[in-house]
Amino acid sequence: MGCGPYTLGRTPDLEVPEIPGRVLIVTDVQEGFTRKGNLASPECTAAIPRIRRIVEEEMAGGTPVIFTKDSHVENDAEFRMFPPHCIVGTEEHHLVEEFRDLEPKAVAVIEKHRYSAFFETELEQLLKELRPDEVHICGFCTDICVLHTTSDLRNRDYDVVVRSEGCETFDAPGHDHEEVNRWALSHIEDILGARVV
């Protein structure tokens, strides 16, 4: 889901480390997809501890971590498809409370306004500077922002590893989260050519 004033941003006063290896992208683990607002999801809320474990392990190993935030404005074009959510300046826009202590340790927090974290953001330039051998990704929603960001990573010839334990999507009529997760991860692996672990 993704829209808004794309205050792209490298975390102020934080130098990009020269660490070879992998980068971890964590998509949209925000209040607006867990506990607050129109798209609050108990399935996504339940995934928070699993995602935090991945982030803590990667940070402890020196992996640069990039958080993305779905970032919308009032009357955003995306609200023709989804109800209003994650509007900048609201509680929904914040990363979940469990991630607030991790946010300052990220190499970047990128505000995105489309499904892909590449669209009109600085992610492409940041990855060029980091020069990862592979990009790991997890977060919300498996079939939307994780999938579209993975697609754009693969279109740029990055080796991508999708951390399935840290991916989740919402449950809704016609959108069974377990079935949709299975489809999305299968598509990501079989069609996009990413590795799902």
Side-chain angles (χ1 to χ4, degrees):
M1 323 224 256
C3 269
Y6 24 95
T7 316
L8 310 173
R10 188 95 35 86
T11 304
D13 305 320
L14 190 61
E15 291 185 12
V16 176
E18 293 292 330
I19 300 175
R22 62 181 175 227
V23 165
L24 174 66
I25 297 174
V26 183
T27 61
D28 303 355
V29 183
Q30 292 165 263
E31 294 290 353
F33 295 122
T34 52
R35 301 184 181 99
K36 298 182 184 296
N38 292 313
L39 297 183
S41 162
E43 293 77 26
C44 290
T45 302
I48 293 171
R50 303 195 303 267
I51 300 170
R52 181 173 174 105
R53 245 187 336 268
I54 292 169
V55 174
E56 286 179 328
E57 288 170 3
E58 293 297 333
M59 284 184 168
T63 301
V65 173
I66 299 165
F67 290 118
T68 73
K69 292 170 73 175
D70 203 25
S71 302
H72 295 281
V73 293
E74 298 280 354
N75 302 315
D76 198 289
E78 190 174 298
F79 298 162
R80 297 173 195 157
M81 293 184 60
F82 294 97
H85 61 279
C86 296
I87 294 171
V88 176
T90 68
E91 283 294 312
E92 292 181 38
H93 185 245
H94 295 303
L95 293 182
V96 294
E97 187 175 352
E98 294 90 336
F99 277 37
R100 306 280 169 83
D101 62 320
L102 300 174
E103 190 170 358
K105 301 174 185 176
V107 295
V109 176
I110 293 179
E111 295 191 0
K112 65 185 187 58
H113 68 113
R114 287 292 183 268
Y115 302 157
S116 172
F118 280 92
F119 185 76
E120 294 183 345
T121 76
E122 65 177 0
L123 180 58
E124 186 150 22
Q125 181 58 39
L126 180 58
L127 289 175
K128 285 178 181 176
E129 293 172 15
L130 290 168
R131 301 192 305 278
D133 297 324
E134 62 184 18
V135 179
H136 288 222
I137 186 168
C138 63
F140 310 143
C141 290
T142 317
D143 54 318
I144 306 174
C145 296
V146 173
L147 187 151
H148 284 270
T149 299
T150 298
S151 178
D152 279 352
L153 284 162
R154 295 294 298 132
N155 285 339
R156 289 159 174 81
D157 295 324
Y158 284 102
D159 290 330
V160 181
V161 177
V162 178
R163 308 286 288 269
S164 59
E165 183 186 7
C167 293
E168 191 53 272
T169 192
F170 57 92
D171 218 13
H175 191 275
D176 176 79
H177 80 106
E178 291 182 353
E179 183 179 316
V180 172
N181 271 326
R182 279 194 297 272
W183 172 84
L185 292 170
S186 174
H187 180 86
I188 284 168
E189 189 164 49
D190 298 340
I191 304 302
L192 300 183
R195 188 156 57 96
V196 175
V197 299

